[in-house]
Amino acid sequence: MSYIVPDEQYSWPPGWRILPNGAAIAADVLEAWRAVPVAVAGDCMGRSIGATGLRPYHPDIHTPVCGRAVTVRTRPGDNLIIHKALLMAEPGDVVVIDAGGSTEQAIVGGLMRTTALARKLGGFVIDGAVRDLAEWDEGGMACFARGHTHRGPAKDGPGAVNIPISCGGLVVMPGDLLLADADGIIAIPVAELPSLMPKVQAHLVKEENIRQTNAREKGDSERIDTLLRSKGVMV
C-alpha cells in the first residue's frame, strides 16, 4: 500500500495523518450523478450546502466534475502532504484541499497538474491558492480555488490525508461524492445518494414544467401569487 495505516504500535507525529481512501463509488452511480447540476443537488439538500468563495481556474467549466473525494488538510502555504495525496488518488478521484483559505502562497501549480493528468484524476478543489495559470488554461484538468499567486509553497508539513475537512465552508468527508460545475461545488455522503436521486429527478421534472410555463405564459403568475397569498399578501 502507498499509505500508512495506523495501529496500536504506531503513534502519528503531531499534525500528521495519512489514512486510506474511502470506498470506491460504482461507475454507474458516478455516471448518473454526473448529469445532475450542482444547483439542483443543492436545492434538494436544503439550499444552504456548498462551498463558497472558490472560482474555476480551468476553461472547460461546463464539463461537470464528479468523483470520489480524497480529502487533504495542510498548513497554509505548504504542499508536502498534497503530493502524497496525489500519489494515493485513483483515476477519477477529486482532491479536495483545506489550506485554511490562505492565498499568500500557492499550494498547487503546473507541475502537480502534470501529475494529476498522468494519473487521470478528476480535478482539484482548493481552499487556498494556485499558480501557473497558463497551464491550467490549457484545460483537461478541473481546478477550483480561492485565488492565485506566483509565490510558491514550502514542503515541511504537517498535514493529513483522508480526514474530515472544511473547504470553502463545505464539510467534506473522505469518500464523499464531490460534484462541481460552473455554478458551484457540493459534497454528498455516499450513503445518501440512493435516497437523494429520486428527489433530484422529481426536482428536474418540476423545473422543466416551470420553464415551459414561463416560456408559454411569460411568467408563472399562479405559482408566484399562491406563494404571496401564503404569506398573507392579498393579490
Side-chain angles (χ1 to χ4, degrees), residues 122-160:
F124 292 88
V125 176
I126 307 165
D127 199 351
V130 295
R131 69 176 186 175
D132 304 320
L133 301 194
E135 294 179 59
W136 293 107
D137 200 45
E138 294 173 8
M141 180 56 56
C143 179
F144 297 83
R146 184 165 294 278
H148 63 273
T149 177
H150 69 282
R151 296 170 62 175
K155 287 180 174 60
D156 298 313

Side-chain angles (χ1 to χ4, degrees), residues 33 112 155 178 189-190 225:
W33 280 94
M112 298 173 81
K155 287 180 174 60
L178 197 291
V190 172
D225 286 350

Side-chain angles (χ1 to χ4, degrees), residues 1 19 29 48 50 55 70-71 79 86 91 104 124 141-142 168-169 193 205:
M1 307 294 276
L19 304 179
V29 174
S48 61
R55 53 154 287 193
V70 173
T71 61
N79 73 356
L86 292 184
E104 293 188 1
F124 292 88
M141 180 56 56
L193 296 177
V205 171

Side-chain angles (χ1 to χ4, degrees), residues 11-235:
S11 178
W12 290 102
W16 293 95
R17 289 290 187 280
I18 301 176
L19 304 179
N21 296 331
I25 302 174
D28 60 330
V29 174
L30 290 173
E31 195 59 31
W33 280 94
R34 196 178 303 278
V36 176
V38 169
V40 170
D43 281 357
C44 295
M45 296 175 72
R47 294 194 163 188
S48 61
I49 296 175
T52 60
L54 309 186
R55 53 154 287 193
Y57 278 88
H58 55 286
D60 40 345
I61 61 172
H62 298 294
T63 300
V65 174
C66 178
R68 178 181 63 175
V70 173
T71 61
V72 183
R73 184 182 66 202
T74 186
R75 179 174 64 82
D78 193 285
N79 73 356
L80 176 57
I81 198 67
I82 304 172
H83 282 275
K84 181 59 178 176
L86 292 184
L87 298 175
M88 293 171 57
E90 298 177 359
D93 286 349
V94 182
V95 179
V96 188
I97 303 167
D98 172 9
S102 173
T103 57
E104 293 188 1
Q105 290 175 267
I107 55 168
V108 176
L111 299 179
M112 298 173 81
R113 174 182 174 272
T114 301
T115 299
L117 285 167
R119 298 184 66 84
K120 302 184 187 316
L121 303 190
F124 292 88
V125 176
I126 307 165
D127 199 351
V130 295
R131 69 176 186 175
D132 304 320
L133 301 194
E135 294 179 59
W136 293 107
D137 200 45
E138 294 173 8
M141 180 56 56
C143 179
F144 297 83
R146 184 165 294 278
H148 63 273
T149 177
H150 69 282
R151 296 170 62 175
K155 287 180 174 60
D156 298 313
V161 182
N162 287 321
I163 65 165
I165 65 169
S166 174
C167 184
L170 171 68
V171 174
V172 186
M173 302 291 288
D176 279 356
L177 178 70
L178 197 291
L179 283 180
D181 60 21
D183 279 328
I185 303 155
I186 202 164
I188 308 172
V190 172
E192 297 180 13
L193 296 177
S195 61
L196 188 60
M197 180 56 85
K199 298 177 183 178
V200 164
Q201 293 171 334
H203 194 83
L204 287 167
V205 171
K206 176 184 175 181
E207 283 198 343
E208 181 56 30
N209 289 337
I210 294 172
R211 188 175 291 109
Q212 292 182 13
T213 298
N214 289 346
R216 182 178 61 251
E217 301 181 11
K218 300 181 181 179
D220 192 348
S221 60
E222 181 55 36
R223 180 171 69 96
I224 298 305
D225 286 350
T226 297
L227 285 170
L228 288 169
R229 285 193 290 268
S230 75
K231 308 298 181 184
V233 179
M234 299 302 295
V235 292

